[in-house]
């Protein structure tokens, strides 16, 4: 039941916090009985249990030295959706967005809305008492949990819910741990009532989550005659898994308002923004979110978020994303206009754009939600450890509180990121510190203490929603007072006398600086590498980029491509985060395993090198490049297999096979040969290898030349890859026809490879040789300013990506120029669409984008090129097709390849049977042909057909 292998333990050593602690093992319960059995084992064998779902906690509460209990793999069911009574019964591994997609079918929703909703899970939201952007309207998770079924520290089960006085008396009489909890908690609350009420934060602060929620229990019967029924669920919310293990929860759902509208005031100074926030809350908003210039600047360098900056007016230093919701859209616009006039009249802000289209509002919120990951991935020079980022004060206190916070920063000569929930007085304030130096570490501890004193001064909360965990627990005495600490300890011991559940969190914490991921003892990896790693600074810095935010854990229905293998397997080792964590751990230290690590090789096995992480990961982790570097080092130490060489060196075999294509096709399609290919090269027998065309592109183009080609001062170099040359020459000929029709003289490049197969298999020296030869041969084209146009996205985009990292130093400037002059075919056509013949006829086409294109360019150029040719394009929201070059052909990967395709792509194509299908990627087209029996066209074919008037 408990996995104790080294890889699994290292995968679960970190979360999104600054901590790293390798556990004894990891358990993946499927049922409540499994959790009970695990708890009983813990009692017998004296180990601790730390509950974890998505592992996106920022205070270290999902790290621990005992057993990590991960509910995210199996306990993911919505057990009941009750529209009439407006509740959902869920297991702790249910993702918040999935819950709301189901609730949305009934015009209901679960209100709390964190920045991590596409991967955070209800168990974690309960543990942290999460709130999110809309807490001014929906408050916190605590207000939406009706009942909880839990496993207690002795292995028994209990259900907590609101109790009538009679039911409460009955609970007190139980002769078990549950009865003991009720009796002891009521006595504790009565005994320490006055101390709790005077020590805890202002009741006006919605997001108060420091310590255990004893103040919330005192609002209930029997302590207040007019209070709500006694319900220990409110204590469990925010208890960080230190009191009980959640089995299921009944969650309150609320009706969705039909209309939303955003107004986004923009400011030059933080003071203006804070004063404006105080005004805005008077207009009954559903959310008011601060985003500062540091995050806004970071969006410029993130491919995924760059397109979401459309609403910004110039370069604001601060913005307040304000959402109004209601039944009448006209009234929402009226309220927004009244707010605009109010702020303008007070000289607060200089621009107030209104956004009311749903797709554009989503883009604004996507930018806001990316904020945490973006700032956590800014690099070591702007590293911001999360230790005081979760404080909350009353909204009216916010301007003065922020001013005093800034004074503390100035005293310590550092800056700060300011963002998040201005509507409820909580800002995520993240000082920039380098805690890998002794001075930086001491400064963090000093600032943490001073911030805790400041929070106490305003009677605020040290933790608003991220939890106390390890980072803030040492400072709870400053905020609640030393007298409260024995009380909190009593709470822990009433529920968990042996400290089995998540010890060291909230009470009895280790020092803040214990078990840090980065500390003065940390030794940055510095192995010899083939890539130059210029963008990241070094290979060592590349291994540090991942911040644990866990965006790579989103599932297919959330959109995007990263990480396709995780979407299929749901295993942490198949996330970018999991792989990055193992990378860092095996390369750091005095005696790193590095390129000899079996664990890392296993973690990388299902990485498809799709490059989605390069754009979708907020920290821009490029796992494809990291994998290539590691596999190169692995080959250097361990040699390479025949199978790996076969896929990397296909270019040597293609010319031979194309001499007699019919014979080659017949041989490779025969059952005995398929069996032999599986045995020798690992090619799954269920796969058909791509057929060789009767005539290669070289032959077809020579025939075309004999008929006469376009002679023009405007020239393009057409890079025809191996697959277009030997397997699908019609694609390349279609490109020639299109480019000539546009008035270009087409020059065919001598080279057919840019090193993509070699890169994907880790043969970097071979790829490096190809890079250097291509650059030398393309020098004249580059110097003449002739654009280079490619048909296969992964091949042509290698010129813009890896070439810059693999070229000789004397070729660096040439490589930069070539990168600027290189285009995917559809990119080039879109940029010169005015040269295409006009067409009024429209035909529907479904577009499945190539992973590398989406990561480095986006689908928009393909959409624009097809539209310019007269097509009506529906961009399918598909991720990876699952083929990914050779990946889908390999026997050990065949099933995963199919599972990935079945996530979105295959069902979408089966549903839309009538439309044309466009897929720029060679692998994608063959995956579609093999698994859906549909013909998929390259954009060049579709555009050429339109030009010729031959579209079916």
């Amino acid at each position: 039941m408990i996995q104790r292998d080294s890889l699994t333990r290292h995968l679960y050593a970190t979360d999104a916090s600054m901590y790293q602690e390798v556990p004894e093992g990891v358990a993946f319960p499927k049922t409540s009985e499994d959790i009970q059995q695990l708890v009983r084992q813990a009692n017998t064998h004296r180990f601790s249990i730390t509950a974890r779902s998505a592992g996106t906690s920022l205070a270290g509460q999902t790290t621990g030295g005992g057993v990590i209990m991960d509910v995210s793999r199996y306990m993911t069911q919505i057990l009941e959706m009750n529209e009439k009574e407006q509740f959902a019964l869920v297991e702790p591994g249910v993702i918040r967005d999935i819950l709301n997609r189901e609730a949305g079918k009934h015009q209901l929703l679960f209100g709390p809305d964190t920045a991590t909703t596409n991967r955070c899970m209800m168990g974690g939201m309960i543990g942290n008492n999460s709130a999110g952007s809309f807490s001014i309207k929906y408050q916190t998770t605590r207000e939406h949990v009706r009942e909880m079924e839990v496993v207690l520290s002795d292995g028994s089960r209990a259900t907590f819910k609101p109790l009538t006085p009679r039911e409460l008396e009955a609970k007190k009489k139980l002769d078990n741990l549950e009865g003991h909890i009720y009796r002891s908690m009521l006595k504790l609350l009565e005994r320490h009532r006055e101390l709790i009420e005077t020590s805890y934060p202002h009741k006006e602060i919605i997001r108060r989550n420091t310590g255990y929620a004893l103040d919330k229990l005192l609002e209930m019967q029997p302590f207040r005659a007019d209070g709500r029924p006694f319900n220990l669920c409110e204590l469990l919310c925010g208890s960080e898994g230190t009191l009980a293990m959640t089995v299921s929860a009944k969650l309150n759902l609320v009706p969705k308002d039909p209309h939303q509208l955003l107004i986004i005031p923009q400011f030059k100074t933080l003071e203006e923004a804070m004063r404006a926030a105080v005004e805005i809350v008077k207009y009954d908003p559903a959310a008011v979110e601060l985003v500062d210039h540091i995050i806004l600047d970071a969006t410029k360098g993130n491919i995924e978020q760059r397109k979401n900056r459309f609403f910004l007016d110039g370069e604001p230093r601060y913005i307040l994303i304000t959402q109004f919701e209601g039944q009448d859209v006209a009234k929402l616009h009226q309220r927004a206009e009244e707010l605009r006039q109010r702020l303008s009249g007070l000289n607060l802000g200089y621009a107030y754009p209104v956004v009311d289209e749903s797709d554009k509002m989503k883009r604004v919120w996507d930018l806001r939600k990316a904020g945490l990951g973006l700032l956590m991935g800014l690099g070591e020079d702007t590293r911001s450890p999360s230790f005081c980022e979760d404080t909350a004060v009353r909204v009216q206190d916010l301007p003065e509180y922020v001013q005093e916070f800034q004074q503390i920063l100035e005293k310590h000569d550092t800056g700060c990121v300011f963002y998040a929930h201005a509507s409820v007085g909580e800002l995520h304030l993240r000082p920039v510190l380098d805690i890998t130096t002794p001075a930086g570490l001491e400064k963090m501890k000093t600032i943490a203490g001073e911030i805790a004193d400041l929070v106490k001064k305003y009677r605020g909360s040290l933790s608003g929603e991220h939890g106390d965990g390890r980072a803030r627990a040492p400072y709870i005495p400053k905020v609640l007072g030393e007298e409260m600490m024995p009380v909190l300890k009593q709470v822990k011991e009433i529920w968990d006398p042996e400290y089995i559940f998540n010890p060291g969190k909230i009470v009895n914490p280790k020092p803040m600086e214990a078990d840090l991921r980065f500390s003065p003892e940390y030794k940055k990896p510095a192995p010899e590498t083939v890539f130059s790693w210029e963008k990241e600074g070094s290979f060592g810095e590349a291994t540090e980029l991942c911040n644990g935010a866990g965006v790579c854990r989103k599932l297919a229905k959330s959109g995007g491509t990263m990480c396709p293998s995780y979407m299929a397997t749901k295993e942490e080792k198949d996330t970018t985060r999991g792989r990055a964590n193992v990378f860092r751990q095996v390369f750091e230290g005095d005696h790193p395993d590095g390129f000899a690590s079996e664990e890392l090789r296993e973690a990388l096995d299902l990485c498809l090198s799709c490059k989605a992480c390069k754009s979708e990961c907020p920290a821009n982790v490029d796992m494809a490049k990291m994998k290539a570097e590691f596999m190169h080092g692995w080959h250097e130490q361990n040699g390479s297999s025949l199978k790996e060489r076969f896929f990397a060196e296909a270019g040597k075999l293609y010319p031979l096979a194309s001499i007699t294509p019919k014979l080659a096709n017949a041989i490779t399609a025969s059952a005995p040969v398929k069996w032999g290919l599986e045995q020798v090269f690992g090619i799954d027998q269920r796969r058909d290898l791509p057929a060789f065309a009767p005539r290669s592109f070289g032959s077809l183009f020579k025939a075309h030349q004999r008929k006469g080609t376009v002679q023009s001062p405007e020239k393009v170099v057409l890079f025809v890859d191996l697959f277009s040359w030997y397997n699908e020459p019609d694609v390349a000929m279609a490109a020639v026809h299109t480019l000539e029709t546009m008035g270009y003289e087409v020059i065919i490049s001598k080279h057919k490879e840019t090193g993509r197969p070699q890169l994907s298999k880790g043969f970097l020296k071979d790829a490096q040789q190809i890079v250097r030869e291509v650059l030398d041969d393309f020098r004249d084209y580059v110097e003449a300013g002739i654009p280079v146009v490619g048909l296969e996205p992964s091949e042509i985009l290698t010129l813009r990506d890896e070439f810059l990292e693999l070229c000789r130093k004397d070729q660096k400037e040439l490589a930069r120029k070539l990168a600027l002059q290189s285009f995917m075919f559809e990119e080039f056509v879109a940029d010169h669409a005015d040269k295409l013949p006009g067409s009024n006829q429209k035909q529907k086409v479904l577009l499945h984008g190539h992973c590398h294109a989406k990561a480095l360019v986006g689908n928009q150029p393909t959409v624009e090129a097809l539209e310019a040719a007269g097509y009506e394009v529906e961009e399918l929201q598909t991720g990876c097709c699952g083929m990914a070059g050779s990946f889908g052909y390999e026997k050990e990967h065949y099933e995963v390849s199919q599972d990935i395709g079945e996530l979105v792509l295959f069902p979408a194509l089966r549903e839309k049977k009538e439309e044309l299908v466009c897929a720029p990627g060679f692998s994608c087209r063959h995956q579609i042909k093999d698994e859906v029996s549909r013909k998929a066209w390259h954009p060049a074919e579709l555009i050429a057909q339109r030009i010729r008037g031959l579209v079916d």
Side-chain angles (χ1 to χ4, degrees):
M1 185 179 180
I2 300 172
Q3 294 186 20
R4 301 181 187 272
D5 60 282
S6 181
L7 172 58
T8 302
R9 292 169 60 225
H10 280 94
L11 286 167
Y12 286 84
T14 60
D15 52 14
S17 73
M18 57 186 174
Y19 295 100
Q20 178 171 298
E21 185 175 7
V22 180
E24 294 177 25
V26 184
F28 301 93
K30 296 180 179 179
T31 64
S32 59
E33 290 77 14
D34 288 347
I35 297 177
Q36 287 180 282
Q37 182 182 344
L38 181 65
V39 173
R40 290 176 186 133
Q41 278 185 272
N43 277 288
T44 301
H45 299 289
R46 311 308 305 156
F47 61 78
S48 65
I49 302 172
T50 297
R52 169 173 167 142
S53 48
T56 56
S57 297
L58 290 165
Q61 53 266 64
T62 59
T63 62
V67 171
I68 304 294
M69 186 186 78
D70 182 359
V71 298
S72 72
R73 188 178 296 182
Y74 300 116
M75 300 189 73
T76 59
Q77 299 302 306
I78 298 174
L79 303 172
E80 183 181 356
M81 181 68 66
N82 192 312
E83 179 184 5
K84 183 179 179 181
E85 297 183 38
Q86 296 187 354
F87 73 79
L89 183 64
V90 303
E91 291 183 317
V94 169
I95 294 173
R96 189 272 192 185
D97 276 1
I98 290 178
L99 170 62
N100 269 0
R101 271 196 288 273
E102 293 302 310
K105 296 175 182 177
H106 310 288
Q107 296 305 304
L108 298 171
L109 84 156
F110 178 76
D113 179 53
T114 68
T116 56
T117 53
N118 62 2
R119 68 267 192 200
C120 75
M121 299 174 178
M122 298 316 306
M125 292 189 74
I126 290 168
N128 282 350
N129 190 34
S130 300
S133 300
F134 292 83
S135 55
I136 191 172
K137 180 173 183 176
Y138 298 115
Q139 298 187 298
T140 71
T141 298
R142 179 177 288 131
E143 283 74 33
H144 297 271
V145 177
R146 296 189 187 182
E147 296 182 16
M148 289 175 64
E149 182 184 2
V150 303
V151 173
L152 299 175
S153 62
D154 64 349
S156 62
R157 282 161 68 170
T159 298
F160 295 104
K161 61 182 180 179
L163 300 175
T164 65
R166 181 175 295 180
E167 290 171 330
L168 180 57
E169 286 303 313
K171 289 287 187 183
K172 289 165 60 178
K173 293 176 182 176
L174 293 174
D175 186 21
N176 55 17
L177 179 54
E178 182 183 0
H180 167 73
I181 288 170
Y182 276 104
R183 291 189 296 273
S184 301
M185 286 301 302
L186 289 165
K187 288 178 183 176
L188 178 143
L189 290 165
E190 186 61 52
R191 186 182 311 121
H192 301 288
R193 182 173 184 172
E194 184 178 348
L195 175 63
I196 294 166
E197 289 181 337
T198 57
S199 301
Y200 271 66
H202 277 295
K203 293 185 182 297
E204 298 167 51
I205 300 172
I206 292 173
R207 301 160 68 113
R208 55 188 200 273
N209 216 45
T210 304
Y212 292 118
L214 302 178
D215 57 333
K216 300 296 288 187
L217 297 182
L218 287 177
E219 296 172 2
M220 303 173 185
Q221 304 170 6
F223 303 102
R224 282 180 52 177
D226 60 347
R228 54 192 179 275
F230 193 76
N231 183 3
L232 285 172
C233 289
E234 295 199 28
L235 178 71
L236 292 175
C237 289
S239 65
E240 303 179 17
T242 62
L243 304 181
M245 298 285 108
T246 304
V247 170
S248 66
K250 181 185 283 190
L251 306 175
N252 183 55
L253 303 177
V254 296
K256 291 177 66 174
D257 281 315
H259 302 292
Q260 295 83 34
L261 173 149
L262 292 178
I263 179 170
I264 311 162
Q266 305 181 20
F267 308 90
K268 297 293 186 184
T269 69
L270 180 60
E271 181 188 2
E272 274 187 277
M274 293 296 90
R275 288 171 52 210
V278 176
E279 295 297 323
I280 293 172
V281 296
K282 300 174 183 176
Y283 288 78
D284 192 27
V288 187
E289 292 290 294
L290 177 73
V291 182
D292 79 351
H293 58 96
I294 297 176
I295 292 174
L296 293 176
D297 287 347
T299 63
K300 297 176 183 177
N302 183 272
I303 297 169
E304 186 78 2
Q305 295 306 321
R306 203 179 295 148
K307 65 179 182 289
N308 295 334
R309 292 172 50 87
F310 68 94
F311 62 93
L312 298 177
D313 187 338
E315 296 288 340
R317 300 280 290 175
Y318 302 90
I319 63 174
L320 288 171
I321 301 172
T322 303
Q323 180 155 314
F324 291 123
E325 299 180 348
Q327 302 291 320
D328 187 328
V329 70
K331 289 183 179 178
L332 298 185
H333 277 278
Q334 180 183 346
R335 209 184 324 167
E337 175 57 22
E338 290 172 356
L339 174 59
R340 185 197 66 77
Q341 291 181 15
R342 175 64 176 168
L343 295 181
S344 179
L346 293 171
N347 291 318
L348 297 176
Y350 68 90
Y352 317 89
V354 171
V355 179
D356 58 5
E357 298 173 44
S358 59
D359 61 326
K360 290 185 176 180
M361 286 192 286
K362 180 182 182 300
R363 286 167 60 190
V364 174
W365 282 116
D366 284 348
L367 180 139
R368 158 63 188 95
K369 289 187 174 186
L372 173 61
L374 287 171
L375 68 91
M376 291 174 73
L378 288 175
E380 64 176 6
D381 291 339
T382 52
R383 189 170 282 153
S384 301
S386 52
F387 67 98
C388 64
E389 86 297 338
D390 198 34
T391 61
V393 296
R394 295 184 303 175
V395 180
Q396 60 265 41
D397 292 332
L398 201 53
E400 291 76 18
Y401 172 78
V402 167
Q403 186 177 28
E404 291 195 55
F405 194 104
Q406 286 182 304
Q407 289 170 3
I408 292 173
L409 297 179
E410 289 169 7
K411 182 174 72 172
H412 293 285
D413 191 29
T414 188
C416 187
V417 176
F418 292 82
Y419 76 107
H421 319 297
S423 60
V424 288
E426 175 170 345
L427 297 184
H428 294 329
L429 308 167
R430 300 176 65 95
V432 176
L433 295 167
D434 181 4
I435 57 174
T436 63
T437 67
L441 183 60
E442 284 303 312
K443 187 181 291 187
M444 179 177 73
K445 291 162 60 179
T446 302
I447 291 175
E450 292 179 6
I451 296 302
D453 290 334
L454 181 62
V455 169
K456 175 69 172 180
K457 174 181 175 180
Y458 284 92
R459 204 178 167 190
S461 180
L462 194 59
S463 169
E465 65 171 339
H466 294 167
D468 296 321
R470 302 185 57 163
R472 280 174 281 277
Y475 300 94
I476 293 175
K478 279 180 172 283
V479 176
L480 297 186
E482 291 287 352
E483 304 85 357
M484 275 303 307
M485 299 316 296
V487 181
L488 297 182
K489 188 174 180 181
Q490 287 175 53
V491 173
K492 170 68 173 173
E493 292 176 356
I494 287 168
W495 290 75
D496 180 23
E498 301 301 323
Y499 285 76
I500 288 171
F501 293 157
N502 210 6
K505 319 300 169 22
I506 300 181
V507 299
N508 295 351
K510 292 182 181 179
M512 180 196 202
E513 67 272 22
D515 302 320
L516 291 173
R517 188 190 311 188
F518 299 114
S519 70
E521 288 73 44
Y522 171 76
K523 288 182 170 56
K524 186 188 294 291
E528 289 188 16
T529 61
V530 181
F531 284 118
S532 62
W533 298 96
E534 285 185 11
K535 181 182 176 185
E536 295 85 355
S538 69
F539 175 78
E541 287 175 53
T543 67
E544 298 168 4
L545 277 175
C546 176
N547 50 62
V551 180
C552 46
R553 286 180 60 95
K554 68 183 188 299
L555 300 183
K557 289 184 179 179
S558 295
T561 301
M562 177 181 71
C563 285
S565 51
Y566 172 76
M567 291 177 180
T569 69
K570 313 293 192 301
E571 293 195 23
E572 178 73 15
K573 74 177 179 65
D574 298 321
T575 64
T576 298
R577 178 177 75 177
R579 294 166 183 141
N581 280 332
V582 178
F583 250 110
R584 188 187 62 257
Q585 291 176 68
V586 303
F587 275 97
E588 69 176 282
D590 291 319
H591 304 288
D593 292 336
F595 296 116
S597 173
E598 292 275 3
E599 297 167 2
L600 184 50
R601 190 165 191 261
E602 181 182 345
L604 290 169
D605 181 56
L606 295 186
C607 173
L608 285 76
S609 298
C610 67
K611 281 191 177 288
C613 48
K614 190 176 174 73
S615 62
E616 293 180 32
C617 169
N620 301 129
V621 172
D622 189 345
M623 189 52 60
K625 187 166 76 170
M626 294 173 73
K627 178 183 179 181
E629 189 75 76
F630 172 78
M631 290 308 300
H632 169 79
W634 175 271
H635 294 323
E636 291 283 296
Q637 294 195 20
N638 300 283
S640 57
S641 68
L642 190 59
K643 179 184 79 171
E644 291 167 323
R645 279 285 172 192
F646 174 80
F647 284 115
E649 298 178 356
K652 295 178 181 178
L653 303 174
Y654 269 45
L656 297 173
S658 69
I659 295 171
T660 55
K662 283 188 178 180
L663 179 60
N665 292 338
I667 290 172
T668 57
S670 69
V673 171
K674 279 192 168 187
W675 179 86
L677 289 172
E678 183 174 282
Q679 301 307 307
V680 178
F681 299 116
I683 299 172
D684 196 285
Q685 293 185 64
R686 290 166 286 187
R687 285 289 187 196
D688 293 325
L689 288 175
F692 291 95
R695 296 174 66 188
S696 71
F697 170 74
S699 173
L700 294 175
F701 188 71
K702 283 179 182 177
H704 174 69
Q705 285 178 311
R706 287 194 291 271
K707 294 177 184 178
T709 58
V710 171
Q711 303 295 311
S712 170
E714 292 193 277
K715 297 175 172 57
V716 295
V717 175
L718 184 63
F719 185 93
V720 184
D721 57 275
L722 283 171
F723 311 111
S724 300
W725 193 284
Y726 294 111
N727 300 112
E728 296 184 345
D730 289 346
V731 170
M733 288 306 300
V736 170
H737 179 72
T738 301
L739 293 168
E740 289 186 342
T741 301
M742 295 170 69
Y744 291 96
E745 180 179 336
V746 179
I747 303 166
I748 306 302
S749 71
K750 181 178 76 174
H751 286 273
K752 304 178 186 68
E753 292 185 272
T754 59
R756 188 79 253 155
Q758 291 82 358
L759 286 164
S760 67
K761 293 300 176 186
F763 296 107
L764 294 191
K765 292 291 178 64
D766 295 346
Q768 194 174 54
Q769 184 61 32
I770 292 171
V771 166
R772 292 170 176 180
E773 290 174 4
V774 170
L775 283 170
D776 285 339
D777 289 346
F778 275 38
R779 184 178 299 276
D780 290 344
Y781 301 139
V782 173
E783 297 301 336
I786 300 174
V788 178
V789 176
L791 300 167
E792 178 61 25
S794 61
E795 290 279 352
I796 191 67
L797 291 174
T798 302
L799 302 181
R800 281 156 62 167
D801 194 359
E802 288 89 354
F803 264 49
L804 296 163
E805 297 267 0
L806 293 173
C807 64
R808 298 190 307 267
K809 288 183 179 180
D810 66 295
Q811 294 176 315
K812 188 68 70 176
E813 187 57 31
L814 177 65
R816 289 195 182 98
K817 289 180 179 178
L818 178 58
L820 294 172
Q821 290 173 217
S822 301
F823 305 91
M824 295 191 304
F825 169 80
E826 50 268 42
E827 237 187 325
F828 186 79
V829 170
D831 287 345
H832 303 86
D834 58 314
K835 296 184 178 183
L836 281 175
S839 174
N840 294 321
Q841 185 183 355
K842 293 290 181 184
Q843 185 171 7
K844 185 78 171 286
V845 62
L846 306 174
L847 172 62
H848 166 68
H850 188 279
C851 290
H852 286 205
K854 286 185 286 190
L856 299 173
V857 178
N859 279 339
Q860 193 57 31
T862 308
V863 173
E864 291 174 3
L866 291 169
E867 287 178 344
Y871 291 96
E872 180 185 338
V873 183
E874 180 183 344
E875 187 180 347
L876 295 175
Q877 298 305 305
T878 49
C880 181
C881 72
M883 185 66 90
S886 66
F887 182 89
Y889 288 99
E890 296 162 1
K891 180 176 176 59
E892 67 270 28
H893 298 148
Y894 176 82
E895 298 295 343
V896 173
S897 169
Q898 301 306 95
D899 291 343
I900 291 169
E902 288 290 355
L903 291 170
V904 180
L905 177 61
F906 298 169
L909 293 181
R910 292 188 191 112
E911 181 184 335
K912 301 172 182 290
K913 295 180 180 178
E914 305 304 319
E915 290 92 341
L916 291 168
V917 179
C918 177
F922 177 81
S923 295
C924 305
R925 294 194 293 277
H926 281 262
Q927 178 81 314
I928 291 168
K929 176 184 75 69
D930 289 352
E931 306 310 325
V932 195
S933 301
R934 296 278 297 273
K935 164 73 175 177
W937 302 87
H938 188 281
E941 295 177 290
L942 292 174
I943 294 169
Q945 287 178 20
R946 178 67 78 189
I947 291 171
R948 294 176 179 135
L950 297 177
V951 176
D952 297 332

